[in-house]
Amino acid sequence: MSLDQYAAPAVHLMVNGQDMTIDVAPSKRLLAILREELGLTGPKRSCEIGRCGACIVLVDGAPINACLAMAYQCAGKHITTVEGVAQEGEGELDPVQRAFLEEGGFQCGYCTPGMVITVKALLSHTPDPNEDEIEEALSGNICRCTGYGGIKRAIKQAVKWRNGY
Amino acid sequence: MGANRQSLHAEPLVRHPQHAEEAWQMKRLWGATASYTAGGTLLRTQWESGLAPVPAYLIDLSGIAELHGIHDEADGNWRIGPMTTLTSCRSHLGLQTAHPLLTEAVRNIAAPSVRNLATLGGNIVSAVGDALPALLACNSVLQWRTEQGITDQALTEWLEAEQLQSAWKERLLVGIQLPRQTSISQTKRILAYHKVGRREAFTPSVVTVAINGQLGDDGIWRDIRIAAGGGQTRPRRLEHTEALLMENPSNSPSLAVVYQSLLAEFKPKGDSFASADYRRRTAANLIVSELWKAAKRLTEER
């Protein structure tokens, strides 16, 4: 058995709508690729063991901890960071971002990129989430400033805007 | 997806077999220098915390189609590919109906962003995953690629013997079978899963318990499987207590005896946060409270 044939090629990704091929070690963490290779510092480095959610990004539309995912696991996939959440060229925030801003859904803001991504993912498959669904969705995002009251208000406001009421 | 002992290596080479046979051959070739990887969520945290060295080779199982998917088979058994993510298990409507214990257990593991990466196979081969009590209570069978070909093994047996069998380190988990649940006439099925942690959500478990039983109209358990684990305790069936329950009517006096049996039979590992005694009592309380609730419901329905 020739093992070289199984070696992973350079990693091809689509990051915030941009096609790219990156020459990195296949086991390199997605978080390091985004922050160090691509300069996308929205996803935050914090616990680095998948507990806090500050680094969450969308991988093919699903929230994933970028500190846990390795480069080879993201090959050929669409990555969306908080920098790519707003519609390009429109110059406006996404309704979820705007709701966090207007409802005081953050204080220090360190967890906010992960929160915004998580809420985007939640509303994409559950447009009108109940309290339990919100709590389950947010269970992997830790905020040590707000007590979650402002975050929950932001989600409810984003739901209203999104659903036109 | 195998328990691995690994040698230190800074940047592992990643290999991408397309078939289970190739993956197994790679592991045989590289032995302890290679690690099967599924979602990699546990491995990554072990590397980061220094609990396990980074191996020289990662054998990525994600491209092996035969290791994915949830199948309702013609004989009524369910077969789950070990590379199936916890999210897929959690959201599968058929599995929710047929094996709600498992889908409830999975709902209690980590958070959605982790469950999107983590797999059922990874949770199993960790040997302490919170899906294990539910799988034990469902009488699950593991299917392995071994030297002898594909081998079936009761999950109970694997959990008890795995640490002692160094030759099993190279095995590849290729399937998880949940046998069809047979119903006994004039009984009601009772299911319960509890995970207790140190906070409400996304918490490492202190204790996990699962119950899968059939309580007769006369208050006697005709069939019951009870499993407990949590933390670094390998989950196991509490078979002595199961036997005790099936010999005695489910009423309050016997529950006191059952409680003592549970305290004697469950032997969890303690740590700095929760002692073994605390865990033992928590598990016993959870199990007895579920048995009491089942008996109470039965009395109310009579």
Side-chain angles (χ1 to χ4, degrees), chain B residues 4-10 32 35 43 46-47 50-56:
Chain B
N4 302 282
R5 292 187 184 284
Q6 302 155 351
S7 60
L8 187 63
H9 201 277
S35 173
L43 287 177
Q46 289 174 337
W47 301 340
L51 291 174
V54 181

Side-chain angles (χ1 to χ4, degrees), chain B residues 17-38:
Chain B
Q18 296 300 302
H19 302 284
E21 180 66 22
E22 288 176 78
W24 182 73
Q25 291 287 356
M26 288 178 179
K27 181 65 176 152
R28 282 189 76 205
L29 184 65
W30 294 320
T33 64
S35 173
Y36 294 122
T37 64

Side-chain angles (χ1 to χ4, degrees), chain A:
Chain A
M1 178 171 58
S2 168
L3 295 171
D4 288 342
Q5 64 180 301
Y6 297 107
V11 178
H12 174 80
L13 303 170
M14 178 86 81
V15 181
N16 295 335
Q18 282 193 308
D19 241 340
M20 54 186 72
T21 300
I22 308 170
D23 189 14
V24 294
S27 61
K28 187 160 187 169
R29 291 185 303 173
L30 177 61
L31 180 63
I33 295 172
L34 295 171
R35 291 179 60 88
E36 296 162 16
E37 306 284 335
L38 304 179
L40 294 169
T41 56
K44 295 291 182 275
R45 180 180 170 184
S46 185
C47 75
E48 302 192 81
I49 54 170
R51 293 288 188 276
C52 74
C55 67
I56 290 178
V57 299
L58 297 178
V59 177
D60 283 350
I64 295 282
N65 298 86
C67 69
L68 294 178
M70 292 180 263
Y72 76 86
Q73 294 176 298
C74 304
K77 296 187 175 174
H78 291 255
I79 315 294
T80 306
T81 70
V82 73
E83 290 92 339
V85 162
Q87 293 298 309
E88 193 177 349
E90 292 190 2
E92 288 187 9
L93 296 174
D94 182 89
V96 173
Q97 292 172 301
R98 191 155 61 90
F100 268 76
L101 195 61
E102 295 193 8
E103 295 294 334
F106 60 91
Q107 188 170 317
C108 83
Y110 202 78
C111 70
T112 310
M115 290 279 183
V116 168
I117 293 287
T118 292
V119 176
K120 281 287 288 182
L122 169 67
L123 300 188
S124 71
H125 58 74
T126 310
D128 194 2
N130 60 33
E131 197 76 13
D132 287 345
E133 289 165 334
I134 290 171
E135 290 197 356
E136 183 176 348
L138 288 182
S139 61
N141 294 79
I142 291 175
C143 174
R144 288 292 178 244
C145 303
T146 64
Y148 299 95
I151 292 167
K152 287 185 178 175
R153 280 200 310 275
I155 294 170
K156 287 168 184 169
Q157 186 59 59
V159 168
K160 285 182 188 171
W161 284 336
R162 210 170 175 275
N163 297 337
Y165 56 83

Side-chain angles (χ1 to χ4, degrees), chain B residues 291-302:
Chain B
L291 299 177
W292 179 79
K293 280 191 279 185
K296 184 166 181 276
R297 277 197 300 272
L298 184 69
T299 306
E300 288 168 353
E301 288 168 9
R302 276 175 181 161

Side-chain angles (χ1 to χ4, degrees), chain B residues 98-99 101 137-139 179-192 210-226 237 242 245-250 290-291 294-295 297-298 302:
Chain B
H99 290 287
L101 264 187
C138 293
N139 231 7
R180 183 169 65 92
Q181 305 251 28
T182 52
S183 295
I184 301 169
S185 65
Q186 296 188 310
T187 66
K188 176 170 278 193
R189 186 168 293 281
I190 305 295
L191 300 169
I211 300 171
N212 182 358
Q214 295 185 76
L215 181 60
D217 295 343
D218 53 4
I220 296 176
W221 290 91
R222 293 288 186 277
D223 178 35
I224 189 164
R225 289 184 289 275
I226 304 172
R237 288 265 301 277
E242 292 171 3
L245 274 164
M246 284 191 278
E247 289 165 7
N248 288 279
S250 174
E290 285 297 335
L291 299 177
R297 277 197 300 272
L298 184 69
R302 276 175 181 161

